[in-house]
């Protein structure tokens, strides 16, 4: 949800096919009961983890506590391109993905539409070292994300360990900027000739800035990550709310 320093008329849209009913109401948050994907239609989703929080359009690649006793549910899917076109009159500041292995499939399906719609920044969940938590779901940073995103108008600004959007640990070594990442990936791909994904869990958050968007002048870790920081909202820790008077001015 929006932060206190944001415009009171800023909106957040969450696409949640399984856990949407668990998200409490918020005047600036709209929850859509569907999954963003590469195509629109109906798809079978594998229900995993507590309350279905790790559910995916793909099957898990290995057996673990979080993916035991899975079930199947038919869900509505919406292509990212369709979402962007529907929001054509809105300025999109940040897109955050947590698509359980389908992040790259969904984002790459939009091609250059992200830049054409002037999406300023993205935070995408990526895997690394060719480790995949889900089957048939290309999502590796070096193999898929870095070459694609830099070809469609985005600059890589750093790789974060999961849950480190609070500026605590710094960027992952070797992935502090695009030049570093290119060198790290070239080395990894030379050393590992096996394109077959390895089952397991090795996930991070990658930060991407539209190349035409002004770069943060500070340039250090906290200055960069602050541009991607977003407010969270849950029943235990409600997100920031502006006054009714503030909201009444929004159209």
């Amino acid at each position: 949800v929006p932060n206190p320093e944001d415009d009171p008329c800023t909106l957040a849209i969450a696409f949640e096919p399984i856990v949407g009913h668990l998200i409490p109401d918020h005047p600036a948050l709209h929850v859509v009961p569907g999954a963003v994907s590469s195509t629109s239609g109906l798809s079978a989703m594998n229900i995993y983890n507590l309350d279905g929080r790790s559910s995916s359009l793909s099957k898990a690649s290995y057996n673990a506590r979080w993916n035991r006793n899975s079930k199947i549910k038919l869900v509505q899917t919406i292509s990212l391109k369709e979402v962007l076109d529907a929001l054509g009159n809105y300025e999109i500041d940040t897109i955050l993905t947590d698509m359980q292995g389908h992040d790259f499939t969904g984002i790459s399906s939009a091609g250059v539409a992200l830049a054409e719609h002037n999406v300023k920044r993205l935070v995408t969940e990526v895997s690394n070292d060719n480790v995949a938590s889900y089957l048939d779901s290309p999502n590796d940073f070096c193999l898929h994300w870095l070459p694609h995103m830099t070809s469609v108008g985005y600059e890589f600004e750093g790789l974060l360990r999961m849950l480190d959007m609070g500026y605590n640990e710094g960027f992952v070594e070797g992935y502090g900027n695009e030049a570093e990442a290119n060198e790290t990936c070239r080395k990894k791909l030379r050393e590992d000739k096996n394109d077959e994904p390895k089952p397991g869990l090795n996930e991070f958050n990658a930060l991407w800035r539209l190349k035409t968007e002004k770069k943060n002048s500070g340039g250090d870790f906290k200055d960069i990550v602050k541009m991607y920081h977003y407010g969270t909202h849950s029943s235990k820790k409600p997100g920031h709310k502006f006054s009714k008077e503030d909201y009444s001015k929004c159209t």
Side-chain angles (χ1 to χ4, degrees), residues 6 23 36 43 49 84 89 100 113 120 128 134 140 172 180 184 191 218 236:
D6 289 327
I23 302 174
V36 174
S43 293
N49 215 338
L84 293 172
N89 294 327
Q100 308 306 323
K120 297 177 183 178
N128 205 4
Y134 298 92
D140 185 76
V172 176
E180 274 188 23
T184 299
E191 294 174 351
K236 292 183 178 179

Side-chain angles (χ1 to χ4, degrees), residues 51 87 116 126 150 166 177 181 247:
D51 297 322
L87 297 174
E116 290 175 346
V126 305
T150 53
N177 54 54
Y247 289 128

Side-chain angles (χ1 to χ4, degrees), residues 135-206:
L135 297 173
D136 304 318
S137 302
N139 203 44
D140 185 76
F141 177 79
C142 289
L143 284 171
H144 309 116
W145 280 102
L146 188 60
H148 173 75
M149 292 298 288
T150 53
S151 73
V152 295
Y154 285 83
E155 182 173 335
F156 172 67
E157 293 209 286
L159 196 68
L160 289 169
R161 293 166 183 83
M162 297 298 290
L163 304 179
D164 190 33
M165 293 300 288
Y167 333 138
N168 297 317
E169 299 184 25
F171 291 126
V172 176
E173 185 177 355
Y175 299 90
N177 54 54
E178 191 170 309
E180 274 188 23
N182 276 321
E183 182 58 32
T184 299
C185 288
R186 276 195 293 267
K187 183 178 179 181
K188 284 190 178 219
L189 295 176
R190 281 198 306 266
E191 294 174 351
D192 187 2
K193 302 295 184 181
N194 183 15
D195 290 337
E196 194 66 29
K198 300 177 283 288
L201 182 64
N202 193 30
E203 296 176 338
F204 300 85
N205 280 322

Side-chain angles (χ1 to χ4, degrees), residues 91-95 114-115 117-123 149 153-155 157 207-214 227-228:
E91 179 180 315
I92 304 176
D93 185 80
T94 305
I95 289 179
L114 288 166
H117 284 270
N118 203 37
V119 177
K120 297 177 183 178
R121 291 176 178 82
L122 295 93
V123 181
M149 292 298 288
Y154 285 83
E155 182 173 335
E157 293 209 286
L207 309 183
W208 310 94
R209 173 181 51 80
L210 187 64
K211 289 179 181 178
T212 56
E213 184 68 15
K214 186 177 179 181
M227 300 301 295
Y228 294 84

Side-chain angles (χ1 to χ4, degrees), residues 33-107:
V36 174
S37 185
S38 57
T39 58
S40 297
L42 294 174
S43 293
M45 178 161 277
N46 299 277
I47 312 301
Y48 295 128
N49 215 338
L50 179 66
D51 297 322
R53 295 176 186 181
S54 298
S55 299
S56 176
L57 294 172
S58 291
K59 292 184 177 181
S61 65
Y62 64 104
N63 294 321
R65 179 179 296 180
W66 62 269
N67 60 39
R68 291 176 186 166
N69 303 316
S70 64
K71 297 181 292 184
I72 297 289
K73 183 176 181 179
L74 199 62
V75 300
Q76 177 77 48
T77 59
I78 310 161
S79 75
L80 178 58
K81 179 67 164 56
E82 190 173 322
V83 172
L84 293 172
D85 290 344
L87 297 174
N89 294 327
Y90 291 86
E91 179 180 315
I92 304 176
D93 185 80
T94 305
I95 289 179
L96 167 70
T97 74
D98 184 6
M99 298 165 69
Q100 308 306 323
H102 277 257
D103 307 70
F104 182 74
T105 299
I107 291 294

